[in-house]
Amino acid sequence: MRNAIKATATTLLRLPSEEDAKELFAVVDANRSHLREWLPWLDLQTTVETSQGFIRACLERERTMGAFTGLIWHQGELSGVAGFNSIDRMNRSGQIGYWLARATEGRGVMTACCRALIDYGFDAKHGLDLHRITIGVAPENHKSRAIPERLGFREEGRIRDAEWLYDHFVDHVLYGLLRSEWQPAEPG
Ligand SMILES: CC(C)(COP(=O)(O)OP(=O)(O)OC[C@H]1O[C@@H](n2cnc3c(N)ncnc32)[C@H](O)[C@@H]1OP(=O)(O)O)[C@@H](O)C(=O)NCCC(=O)NCCS
């Protein structure tokens, strides 16, 4: 079990604990309209208890599948969430999902977090030993699409009506990366 993954000198992905629920809810609540444009779960996150439920689900996914999801601590502030939403053990494939508080956008924080998650995902010795990592993004979510594109993912296709966003479906552009295509970070 991995408790934390360092993304940069100032950015840490840390497995949540139930004590983080209050702070997590405050960040979600302050970023509601920003996040609601592309994420489907905002109307379910209405109280600190619902954030606690999310944290429990993350810990359970990590315990049962090794699917690490971390709170993003950037310069000591809780700034978002990134991790493996799902892992298909049989086929050694994992799907990454993420969001960032508006105030932390535009600094490369999420790209660095994804780079660290990918290193962890493909690492056969200390990580998840995955063969393939995917990211699914709505076609018009340009900021999000830029992340897999920056990291060398290949656009593999389009999943029709992949996600229900409150009152309409959006397609997903599916980005995929194979271990053989990834250059891991230098250790240290
Ligand atoms: C998607 C989301 C995480 C992207 O955030 P982001 O800040 O654009 O992504 P990054 O943290 O990687 O930062 C990239 C930006 O920082 C800039 N940047 C600065 N230093 C950088 C560095 N060292 N490396 C990479 N980018 C850097 C980039 O140029 C880019 O800015 P630009 O959009 O003006 O070109 C964010 O918009 C978000 O949370 N949106 C709402 C939820 C959402 O859509 N989630 C994803 C669903 S699929």
Side-chain angles (χ1 to χ4, degrees), residues 9 16 19 22 25 39 42 46 50 72-73 84 91 96 102 105 107 122 164 168 174 181:
E19 293 82 77
K22 200 170 161 196
F25 180 70
L39 297 173
L42 273 300
T46 52
T50 56
I72 299 169
W73 296 90
F84 288 92
N91 297 303
I96 288 179
R102 171 150 261 165
E105 280 184 323
R107 305 184 209 175
F122 284 144
W164 174 252
H168 64 290
L174 185 68
E181 297 163 343

Side-chain angles (χ1 to χ4, degrees), residues 38 98-100 105-111 141 143-144 150:
W38 295 118
Y98 44 71
W99 62 264
L100 210 52
E105 280 184 323
R107 305 184 209 175
V109 168
M110 193 55 80
T111 300
N141 191 350
K143 276 182 184 296
S144 185
R150 215 176 269 129

Side-chain angles (χ1 to χ4, degrees), residues 12 19 24 37 40 55 59-61 68 90 98 116-117 128 143-144 150 167 181:
L12 187 72
E19 293 82 77
L24 178 61
E37 188 178 3
I55 288 171
L59 295 173
E60 183 63 9
R61 270 206 313 273
F68 179 94
M90 182 76 82
Y98 44 71
L117 284 169
L128 301 175
K143 276 182 184 296
S144 185
R150 215 176 269 129
D167 56 3
E181 297 163 343

Side-chain angles (χ1 to χ4, degrees), residues 79-116:
S79 306
V81 173
F84 288 92
N85 290 341
S86 63
I87 289 189
D88 174 350
R89 277 276 158 214
M90 182 76 82
N91 297 303
R92 293 171 50 215
S93 177
Q95 176 132 17
I96 288 179
Y98 44 71
W99 62 264
L100 210 52
R102 171 150 261 165
T104 315
E105 280 184 323
R107 305 184 209 175
V109 168
M110 193 55 80
T111 300
C113 286
C114 287
R115 193 177 281 119

Side-chain angles (χ1 to χ4, degrees), residues 18-187:
E18 290 202 26
E19 293 82 77
D20 295 319
K22 200 170 161 196
E23 209 167 338
L24 178 61
F25 180 70
V27 179
V28 168
D29 209 33
N31 284 276
R32 213 165 264 286
S33 58
H34 157 60
L35 299 175
R36 208 172 183 281
E37 188 178 3
W38 295 118
L39 297 173
W41 44 259
L42 273 300
D43 293 354
L44 303 174
Q45 283 295 323
T46 52
T47 61
V48 173
E49 286 67 37
T50 56
S51 289
Q52 223 158 25
F54 165 77
I55 288 171
R56 282 194 203 115
C58 288
L59 295 173
E60 183 63 9
R61 270 206 313 273
E62 147 72 27
R63 195 182 63 77
T64 55
M65 310 188 259
F68 179 94
T69 295
L71 302 186
I72 299 169
W73 296 90
H74 176 65
Q75 296 176 341
E77 299 263 317
L78 177 46
S79 306
V81 173
F84 288 92
N85 290 341
S86 63
I87 289 189
D88 174 350
R89 277 276 158 214
M90 182 76 82
N91 297 303
R92 293 171 50 215
S93 177
Q95 176 132 17
I96 288 179
Y98 44 71
W99 62 264
L100 210 52
R102 171 150 261 165
T104 315
E105 280 184 323
R107 305 184 209 175
V109 168
M110 193 55 80
T111 300
C113 286
C114 287
R115 193 177 281 119
L117 284 169
I118 295 164
D119 276 343
Y120 176 64
F122 284 144
D123 188 332
K125 209 165 166 196
H126 305 290
L128 301 175
D129 192 20
L130 297 177
H131 173 71
R132 167 180 162 79
I133 293 177
T134 59
I135 298 179
V137 188
E140 303 301 321
N141 191 350
H142 300 292
K143 276 182 184 296
S144 185
R145 288 183 67 168
I147 293 171
E149 286 172 8
R150 215 176 269 129
L151 291 169
F153 281 63
R154 191 179 294 186
E155 190 179 318
E156 295 183 338
R158 191 152 166 149
I159 315 296
R160 294 177 306 149
D161 284 356
E163 190 171 30
W164 174 252
L165 287 180
Y166 308 99
D167 56 3
H168 64 290
F169 279 106
V170 288
D171 293 352
H172 272 182
V173 177
L174 185 68
Y175 288 94
L177 181 73
L178 303 183
R179 177 150 76 186
S180 57
E181 297 163 343
W182 182 243
Q183 190 67 46
E186 294 291 325

